[in-house]
Amino acid sequence: MATESTAGLALVSTFCPDRVGLVSGITSHLFEQGINLRDATFASLGTGAEFSAVCELPAGLTVAEVQASLSSLPVLAGAEVKVTPFAFDPQPGPQAMVTHRVEVSGGDQPGLVARLSEIFTQFDANIVRLDAQTLPDRVGERYVLRFSVSIPAERADVCLSAVANTAETLGLTCRTEAL
């Protein structure tokens, strides 16, 4: 797919030092160019920050022009900016419908994300969103994992029990919420 295509979908990705005003600066600039945001995410990652969005470009605006204009923004000084055509269907499929939210917290352990995500795989559950953070706590640090998942209804109870049992075995707490 050519990067000079017009009137279509693009994936906008930025990575830079975290600072106040990033989301506002990026999204305001995209809006001023007539770009409509579809799915979008933002996260602080240590002292860095990442913004990604599927964007609908107006006719005549190329991904190269969007990348150049974003790269020139003061709020994105020193950022890695990448704008590419988005070749996937922007409409979420049935596996993107979040049925449950799961939060596991406690002490960080090597392989924890891999271990828990494997449980979801065993029950044909799709992880739609994942957020993992190390947070300060009264006694040091606390690692918090938040999964937004799509679990087949007939497997939900046993899947969530497996996640909770694994968390308990590891000395972690687990909370679940059905949506």
Side-chain angles (χ1 to χ4, degrees):
M1 188 177 290
T3 59
E4 290 301 313
S5 63
T6 59
L9 297 173
L11 177 62
V12 171
S13 301
T14 66
F15 184 72
C16 62
D18 191 15
R19 58 181 73 110
V20 173
L22 276 174
V23 173
S24 176
I26 295 166
T27 58
S28 294
H29 180 76
L30 294 172
F31 173 74
E32 290 165 3
Q33 290 190 311
I35 295 171
N36 185 47
L37 294 184
R38 295 189 61 105
D39 291 342
T41 63
F42 175 81
S44 290
L45 303 170
T47 60
E50 178 181 51
F51 174 87
S52 296
V54 175
C55 299
E56 295 175 10
L57 304 185
L61 186 62
T62 68
V63 294
E65 291 168 334
V66 175
Q67 182 163 332
S69 67
L70 281 170
S71 296
S72 70
L73 290 178
V75 74
L76 289 175
E80 294 175 27
V81 177
K82 186 175 181 183
V83 182
T84 58
F86 187 77
F88 298 99
D89 185 346
Q91 296 298 324
Q95 288 188 331
M97 185 176 77
V98 176
T99 59
H100 296 82
R101 289 199 179 99
V102 178
E103 181 179 289
V104 176
S105 65
D108 189 11
Q109 299 176 30
L112 182 58
V113 175
R115 192 168 185 178
L116 293 173
S117 62
E118 179 58 32
I119 294 169
F120 292 119
T121 300
Q122 291 171 3
F123 294 96
D124 294 324
N126 186 44
I127 298 170
V128 179
R129 299 260 184 200
L130 165 65
D131 179 51
Q133 288 182 294
T134 302
L135 301 172
D137 194 73
R138 286 183 287 245
V139 292
E141 291 183 338
R142 181 172 58 103
Y143 194 65
V144 180
L145 287 163
R146 292 180 189 94
F147 295 92
S148 296
V149 293
S150 177
I151 308 173
E154 67 277 6
R155 295 178 175 218
D157 289 341
V158 70
C159 176
L160 295 172
S161 291
V163 171
N165 289 339
T166 300
E168 183 179 340
T169 299
L170 297 171
L172 306 170
T173 61
C174 180
R175 293 185 315 163
T176 63
E177 174 189 10
L179 303 179

